[in-house]
Amino acid sequence: MNKRLDEVQYARAFAMFAVLFVHFSSTGLGAVTPESSTFYVYSAFNTLGKLGVPVFFFLSGLVLFYSYNNRPFTKETIRQFYKKRLKYIIVPYLVISTFYFGVRIVHSSSFSSVPALLTGLGEALLWGKAYTHLYFLFVLLQFYLAFPLILYFFKKVKVRVLTVLLASLALQFAWFYVNKNYLQVEARGSYFLSYVSFFLVGAAVGSNYAQLDHWWQVHRKKMAVFIVTLFVLAATSLIVVDSWTRADTLVPYLPSSPYHTYIFDGLWVLLGLAGSLFTLWLGKMVIVLDYAPLQIFLNRLAQLSFGIYLIHPFFLLFFRSWLPSSTPLVFHGWQLFTAIAITAICWVLTSWLSKWKMSWIIIGK
């Protein structure tokens, strides 16, 4: 029987903070100019938050393949897999998407005929466009569809993390290239190939977790230095590039090149992979620290993270509509208050809902 991976649970909590960073910093980032010193604070938090989604895909791959790698590959195993995902992922996705679709209609007062509403809802459900943050679930469902094939391959072939890393990066950037030059599909981030390296590397780590964990323990000091250094370099590079790009001070100094987008993509992928290792390392450090209140807090946040992720944009929508703009101090104070208040509200609400037997319909599991 596989042991419980507490470090993964803590890493999931840190990834949840990253997701919240993106959403809570977006209003301030859009309202201030590069001439303001706070612009770079908002930009840094927004950029750091970009590692949230890649880390969640990495952890999803890790947990799935850690759990299923030693199980027999049978029809019953796959049936049980899809049964759980249908109940705890797809049903909440349909319910929460319908809810947000209704919220958008009411908020924008864009009422139309019943057939048009049903058609719009159908398209929103089919493509994960009911609300901006639900693309994540849409992409996750695509990974679930591919899961049996990937699991079968991993069972037939002895996978190595480095080999999977190189192959998945090649696949991911091939997709970036083909889409940019030929397909040019909108919402590139709604397709699983845009995140395939995170999921597959996580899957490879999960498939070899016992061996990797032992190797980690033997070389933990060297690994700590490597992971922290890699993450700091990746985060700093993308923060600088993002800030300069948003301030329109970077592009004029770059030579005319069709490869600019690949550079930005490369830095984002590097941050995602480095951030995945970094959050996992932080999870292990929480275990080493052995401070019970912190562990309880992070564990509970991880348990509630899916529900908080689903419902927090609803409250953010209304807090933004109440945004005061009298003075910079009030404006920035409101951003901080909004982040704390919405997190607290979602924590309490999700915790309350989780006590309900049928809560999985709304907040999953």
Side-chain angles (χ1 to χ4, degrees), residues 228-253:
V228 173
T229 302
L230 180 65
F231 174 73
V232 170
L233 289 174
T236 302
S237 298
L238 192 56
I239 286 172
V240 170
V241 168
D242 272 354
S243 296
W244 286 355
T245 301
R246 289 164 178 155
D248 290 327
T249 57
L250 176 64
V251 174
Y253 295 97

Side-chain angles (χ1 to χ4, degrees), residues 18-182:
V19 170
L20 294 176
F21 283 168
V22 169
H23 295 165
F24 291 148
S25 63
S26 59
T27 301
L29 182 60
V32 298
T33 63
E35 289 72 30
S36 170
S37 59
T38 56
F39 169 85
Y40 295 97
V41 175
Y42 284 120
S43 183
F45 274 104
N46 192 268
T47 299
L48 282 175
K50 289 182 178 181
L51 66 86
V53 168
V55 171
F56 271 119
F57 282 128
F58 172 85
L59 296 177
S60 296
L62 191 160
V63 171
L64 275 179
F65 282 79
Y66 179 76
S67 301
Y68 282 87
N69 190 55
N70 294 323
R71 299 185 190 183
F73 188 86
T74 63
K75 289 183 179 179
E76 180 60 23
T77 299
I78 302 303
R79 189 185 74 83
Q80 288 296 326
F81 169 81
Y82 281 118
K83 181 180 179 180
K84 288 183 178 180
R85 269 67 200 175
L86 174 64
K87 182 176 181 180
Y88 297 127
I89 301 294
I90 297 180
V91 170
Y93 168 72
L94 296 176
V95 171
I96 205 73
S97 293
T98 303
F99 169 75
Y100 275 108
F101 185 79
V103 168
R104 287 174 58 190
I105 291 174
V106 173
H107 188 258
S108 61
S109 300
S110 57
F111 299 97
S112 57
S113 65
V114 173
L117 288 175
L118 292 177
T119 299
L121 176 59
E123 292 179 353
L125 294 175
L126 184 62
W127 300 107
K129 295 181 178 179
Y131 209 70
T132 54
H133 70 308
L134 294 176
Y135 78 94
F136 172 80
L137 292 183
F138 181 65
V139 176
L140 194 60
L141 294 178
Q142 295 172 52
F143 279 121
Y144 288 157
L145 290 175
F147 171 73
L149 294 176
I150 301 172
L151 179 62
Y152 180 79
F153 178 79
F154 275 31
K155 282 182 172 292
K156 290 296 182 180
V157 178
K158 178 62 177 177
V159 296
R160 297 183 181 278
V161 176
L162 181 58
T163 303
V164 172
L165 171 64
L166 296 176
S168 62
L169 285 175
L171 180 60
Q172 189 166 345
F173 278 88
W175 155 248
F176 291 158
Y177 176 82
V178 170
N179 182 62
K180 178 181 179 180
N181 293 283
Y182 301 101

